[in-house]
Amino acid sequence: MQINSIEILGRDGCRTCSSMYQTVIDIMAEKNLAVDIQHVTDLQRIMALGVMSLPGVVINGKVVSYGKKLSKAELEKLIDGVIGE
């Protein structure tokens, strides 16, 4: 499956959320894949996705993780899992 978008859900000024956002950008650059990557801080959008614990990761509109800081390896595994579908 192709990844069209990745959203990192978080609060403004959250170091963990910003770090995960940058890590996703780095991963996609390493894989040489052009994907729309966004750091979403709009609480209405986050709640509409049903996420109540941050940070969150949304791939192609589907919540794949929330409430846990993911390492680079964990983020790569999530991304590779979607690509492999």
Side-chain angles (χ1 to χ4, degrees), residues 8-48:
I8 302 300
L9 311 177
R11 296 183 322 262
D12 281 324
C14 171
R15 287 185 182 174
T16 298
C17 304
S18 296
S19 173
M20 283 178 53
Y21 173 70
Q22 185 59 53
T23 300
V24 168
I25 290 172
D26 295 343
I27 290 168
M28 298 315 284
E30 289 169 10
K31 294 181 178 299
N32 200 27
L33 295 173
V35 173
D36 179 28
I37 303 168
Q38 296 181 20
H39 184 189
V40 177
T41 58
D42 177 42
L43 273 170
Q44 289 183 342
R45 168 78 175 135
I46 292 169
M47 291 186 332

Side-chain angles (χ1 to χ4, degrees), residues 1-9 21 24-25 28 33-40 45 49 56-65 75 78-80 82-83 85:
M1 173 185 278
Q2 181 177 337
I3 296 178
N4 298 314
S5 66
I6 299 176
E7 297 170 282
I8 302 300
L9 311 177
Y21 173 70
V24 168
I25 290 172
M28 298 315 284
L33 295 173
V35 173
D36 179 28
I37 303 168
Q38 296 181 20
H39 184 189
V40 177
R45 168 78 175 135
L49 290 165
V57 180
V58 179
I59 300 178
N60 290 344
K62 179 182 176 189
V63 177
V64 294
S65 175
L75 285 165
L78 280 176
I79 290 166
D80 289 341
V82 172
I83 292 172
E85 288 181 356

